[in-house]
Amino acid sequence: MTLWDGSYPFYPGANACFPVDTTQAVIVTVFLCILVTFIIILPGIPGRGRLFWFLRWVLGLFMGAVILTVQFTRDWETGWVQANTSYKSFSPVQVNVDVGLHIGLAGVNVTLRGNPVTQINETINYNEHFPWSFGADYEHSYSQGLQKGLPSPILYVAEKFSRQSPCAVHRQYRIAGHYLSLALWLAFCTWLISILLFSMSILLYGGHMLLLTATLILFSLLFFSTMRSTLKCPIQFGPASLETGYGESFWLTLVTGLLCLLLGLAIIILNSLQPEKLKLIFSLDKSSKEEVWNKPCLPAEPSCSAQGGLMVPLGELCPGTGPGQ
């Protein structure tokens, strides 16, 4: 026997529920810094175009931040259940716990929280991640959980998403996550292009890029919904069943896709019906270069180069050659 009665004093404890994701924190911090920068320079924008300018950038940053952040979130599909279940394998001891399932694009998180947290002389507060992204081995992560001796509810839920499970959901979720992530990366690229086109005052093509961004987002969500509706895998804890539904990331992405769709359609319609109002929203007056370039040269009018030059009467250039002399 050791000094600690056979226990290991430095055995790693339970993972805290939902630790801060550094990737999401970095993305949110970068976009917030950009927003603060725009707020600082806002007083330098002249006239009534200040409000339109601020709204354009706030909406643009919101859409970009959402498209990029949801790539790394773990709440595309979530579910909770409260149950009395065994805590360890081959043990008759029952505990009252909340079991949570959180499915993301790159893997699944299983949360176990005791009611109360301290039971049977242990702190029941776990959050385990089992990845299936490129370069990750789900089976290896599950094997590591078995070796660490994770609680039975976590291993039971994680086993449902393994390749050997009769539920056969691992392949569907993994493929759906990969294609959804690819579509969102393409949507982020088209969003960047739309921001660039708007900054160059090419409004019509910017609206088309927003429509393409909305199409990519909405079709990716449709694919995820279709895949999810075909899966039937009950997760039972005695009489209680763990049911999942769409998470915050899904609904936030849906709102962003609809916002891109409405803004893109509004820009295209205004460009066709009321272009002056669209130019007012984007702070483009009649003296902009775009209008000068698009103005036709009529035969009865002087040439465009002559219009742009300085016209001075001949008498002012040569005082001694006026009509009276």
Side-chain angles (χ1 to χ4, degrees):
M1 298 295 290
T2 65
L3 181 62
W4 297 277
D5 295 328
S7 64
Y8 294 92
F10 304 112
Y11 184 79
N15 293 334
C17 291
F18 279 98
V20 177
D21 192 324
T22 56
T23 304
Q24 300 177 37
V26 169
I27 294 173
V28 173
T29 302
V30 169
F31 277 89
L32 286 179
C33 290
I34 297 175
L35 179 60
V36 170
T37 303
F38 288 150
I39 294 176
I40 292 175
I41 66 178
L42 182 62
I45 306 298
R48 56 184 177 180
R50 179 184 304 153
L51 177 61
F52 291 129
W53 182 87
F54 182 71
L55 289 177
R56 291 200 312 268
W57 280 108
V58 167
L59 291 176
L61 290 176
F62 170 78
M63 293 184 292
V66 170
I67 295 172
L68 191 59
T69 304
V70 294
Q71 295 267 10
F72 308 98
T73 55
R74 300 174 182 177
D75 57 351
W76 279 83
E77 188 176 346
T78 61
W80 284 92
V81 65
Q82 184 176 1
N84 290 314
T85 181
S86 60
Y87 183 62
K88 293 290 185 179
S89 299
F90 310 106
S91 174
V93 179
Q94 298 278 319
V95 292
N96 186 270
V97 293
D98 290 327
V99 184
L101 175 61
H102 315 276
I103 302 174
L105 303 183
V108 59
N109 271 65
V110 184
T111 303
L112 184 68
R113 185 183 305 148
N115 288 316
V117 176
T118 302
Q119 299 182 51
I120 59 174
N121 296 326
E122 289 194 31
T123 300
I124 306 176
N125 192 19
Y126 290 83
N127 180 65
E128 296 293 331
H129 181 63
F130 302 91
W132 55 49
S133 58
F134 288 115
D137 189 349
Y138 187 92
E139 305 301 326
H140 178 68
S141 300
Y142 179 72
S143 299
Q144 285 184 330
L146 289 173
Q147 294 175 4
K148 289 193 302 183
L150 293 178
S152 295
I154 295 180
L155 296 176
Y156 168 69
V157 176
E159 185 183 8
K160 294 287 186 178
F161 294 87
S162 63
R163 294 177 180 173
Q164 289 77 22
S165 173
C167 293
V169 298
H170 177 87
R171 183 173 178 272
Q172 288 89 332
Y173 271 109
R174 188 171 183 268
I175 293 177
H178 291 167
Y179 279 104
L180 181 55
S181 179
L182 177 61
L184 289 178
W185 279 117
L186 291 176
F188 183 75
C189 293
T190 55
W191 169 82
L192 284 177
I193 295 175
S194 69
I195 294 296
L196 179 61
L197 292 175
F198 288 141
S199 64
M200 297 172 61
S201 301
I202 308 176
L203 307 182
L204 182 59
Y205 292 109
H208 289 161
M209 281 294 109
L210 273 184
L211 282 183
L212 181 57
T213 302
T215 302
L216 290 170
I217 294 175
L218 295 178
F219 268 98
S220 65
L221 295 179
L222 180 62
F223 178 76
F224 183 80
S225 301
T226 304
M227 178 278 307
R228 178 182 176 273
S229 63
T230 60
L231 298 177
K232 301 295 181 182
C233 184
I235 303 177
Q236 294 289 143
F237 292 93
S241 177
L242 177 57
E243 302 288 343
T244 60
Y246 296 122
E248 296 179 0
S249 294
F250 179 90
W251 296 116
L252 189 59
T253 307
L254 178 61
V255 170
T256 304
L258 294 177
L259 180 62
C260 291
L261 179 64
L262 293 177
L263 291 178
L265 289 175
I267 290 173
I268 293 175
I269 293 174
L270 284 177
N271 185 79
S272 301
L273 302 179
Q274 295 181 338
E276 296 301 326
K277 288 187 177 181
L278 182 62
K279 293 177 181 179
L280 177 63
I281 295 175
F282 283 87
S283 304
L284 298 176
D285 54 14
K286 294 183 179 180
S287 61
S288 63
K289 293 182 179 180
E290 182 181 359
E291 293 192 0
V292 173
W293 290 343
N294 293 333
K295 183 177 180 181
C297 295
L298 299 178
E301 297 180 356
S303 64
C304 295
S305 60
Q307 289 182 3
L310 181 63
M311 305 299 292
V312 181
L314 184 59
E316 295 183 7
L317 292 176
C318 304
T321 61
Q325 297 184 9

